[in-house]
Amino acid sequence: MKVENVVLSVSGQSVVIIDQTKLPNHLEYLTLVKSEDFYEAIKKLKVRGAPAIGICAGMGLYVTAVRSGISEEPALLEFIDKTAQYINSSRPTAVNLFHALERVKRSAHSQSGKGTAAVLSAMRDESLAIQEEDVAMCRAISEYGLTLVKDGDGILTHCNAGPLATSVYGTGLGTLLLGKEKGYTFHAYTDETRPLLQGARLTSYELDKAGIDVTLICDNMASIVMKQGKINACFVGCDRVAANGDTANKIGTSGVAVLAKYYGVPFYVFCPSSTIDMNCKTGADIVIEERDPDEIKTKFYKEPMAPASVKAYNPAFDVTDAELITAIVTEKGICRYPYTDSLSALFK
Ligand code: MRU
């Protein structure tokens, strides 16, 4: 299956992404060449979803190094370090961004003394490897996901953790997409995911395109569909998992988990093991991105939907406590509570 959302050009001079802010109405592609292009595309969610921003950033570091034209190796390595730091500052919560940049940076330094051509070639290989690994990880995660559900299940989703946010299949949506290929019929209920509507704009688009039965709901309808017995499991992706299993994901995720616990619905988190940050002891150590309040008051509306003088608070993520998570599904296996033990076992 072909990856379409983030593509490195053969010449290494650019990265072409699907502009996710234009979906579902317009499928538009953007060409990124400068470090500022990569920073802006990530900051403004033109490319988004933890694995996808990591992949894009890693390729971006390579492209900016190629285009720098720097012919002295020490100067090139210094440029790479500074550019990585700059791109990494675009969004704080998803650990994949940091990991991918570190990997590509390390691959550059591993060629120290061999000349700039060797440095660039190693960076290219590493950034492509991150994407290839993501394809394989999403597939493995989706296979594990299928062991947790049965044909006909109703699945509640929050935000978007599909192919647009990753590579192929996705994490949170992978089970549904792979299941569809294998002949399962699922009924997805998709939270619209205020304020940026990733559920409405992206998840319902991806599921509908794949021929999966999908029903869009407002975020505040999650309780009623659970109470009505329409939901057999909740599926979400994540941006960072702490060593104790506390999990940061799109704002509103923790509310879904609290409801799921109340109604006795299993709540599953899907992620590649690269999203698990063993350096973060608990969720309290995860930096939560705060975004422009106008995303709540004015975005998507013809006229502002609150008086100009009213304050708005716009945290982009929240942390779901480990006790609320039924299982964390990774490409290496399914982890269960207590996560301090099951997550550390993944890395042994
Ligand atoms: O702000 P976003 O749209 O980048 O938030 C994305 C999410 O919260 C996703 O659920 C997460 O990155 C997992 S993507 C596989």
Side-chain angles (χ1 to χ4, degrees), residues 3 35 40 45 65 79-80 91 93 133 145 170 181 201 256 259 275-277 284 299 302 307 316 323:
V3 180
S35 57
E40 286 293 307
L45 274 60
F79 171 87
I80 290 164
R91 294 191 79 187
T93 305
E133 286 166 24
E181 283 176 16
R201 294 188 305 103
V256 174
L259 289 172
T275 306
I276 300 164
D277 186 355
K299 205 173 168 74
K302 246 186 170 163
E323 306 85 87

Side-chain angles (χ1 to χ4, degrees), residues 46-285:
K46 290 174 188 293
V47 57
R48 51 146 298 285
I53 62 178
I55 292 163
C56 183
M59 290 177 175
L61 189 57
Y62 164 63
V63 164
T64 49
V66 169
R67 294 179 73 98
S68 72
I70 298 173
S71 55
E72 300 295 321
E73 192 196 278
L76 180 62
L77 290 174
E78 199 182 320
F79 171 87
I80 290 164
D81 291 353
K82 277 199 183 134
T83 308
Q85 206 177 0
Y86 168 65
I87 298 176
N88 187 48
S89 67
S90 54
R91 294 191 79 187
T93 305
V95 72
N96 309 60
L97 176 60
F98 171 77
H99 271 164
L101 286 165
E102 276 301 299
R103 273 184 64 173
V104 178
K105 211 171 85 177
R106 240 183 287 129
S107 72
H109 282 272
S110 74
Q111 300 301 306
S112 171
K114 297 188 187 158
T116 55
V119 167
L120 294 175
S121 162
M123 291 176 82
R124 179 188 175 81
D125 290 351
E126 192 70 3
S127 61
L128 287 171
I130 294 170
Q131 189 172 46
E132 275 159 33
E133 286 166 24
D134 192 61
V135 174
M137 286 189 297
C138 288
R139 171 80 196 205
I141 288 168
S142 309
E143 296 276 6
Y144 280 120
L146 279 175
T147 67
L148 300 169
V149 285
K150 54 183 191 329
D151 191 29
D153 273 357
I155 308 292
L156 182 86
T157 69
H158 192 77
C159 196
N160 173 263
L164 285 164
T166 58
S167 304
V168 176
Y169 292 114
T171 53
L173 297 189
T175 305
L176 301 177
L177 295 168
L178 182 64
K180 171 75 187 174
E181 283 176 16
K182 294 190 177 210
Y184 288 72
T185 301
F186 292 119
H187 305 286
Y189 287 83
T190 292
D191 283 351
E192 62 176 353
T193 318
R194 286 266 296 148
L196 294 182
L197 306 179
Q198 290 93 331
R201 294 188 305 103
L202 308 174
T203 298
S204 72
Y205 166 81
E206 289 187 317
L207 294 179
D208 187 55
K209 210 165 67 150
I212 293 168
D213 174 51
V214 54
T215 304
L216 183 64
I217 59 171
C218 298
D219 300 334
N220 53 8
M221 297 168 190
S223 176
I224 191 166
V225 290
M226 287 193 213
K227 191 170 193 170
Q228 289 171 338
K230 293 182 160 80
I231 307 299
N232 300 94
C234 301
F235 282 7
V236 298
C238 61
D239 286 74
R240 195 183 294 239
V241 179
N244 73 338
D246 290 350
T247 293
N249 190 48
K250 181 51 51 193
I251 191 72
T253 302
S254 68
V256 174
V258 170
L259 289 172
K261 182 91 169 178
Y262 181 76
Y263 290 115
V265 173
F267 179 90
Y268 297 115
V269 168
F270 294 80
C271 66
S273 54
S274 54
T275 306
I276 300 164
D277 186 355
M278 297 305 277
N279 296 319
C280 242
K281 264 178 97 178
T282 74
D285 302 315

Side-chain angles (χ1 to χ4, degrees), residues 260 265-269 322-328 334-337 339:
V265 173
F267 179 90
Y268 297 115
V269 168
E323 306 85 87
L324 298 175
I325 300 170
T326 310
I328 299 176
I334 300 176
C335 300
R336 305 235 177 214
Y337 193 83
Y339 294 105

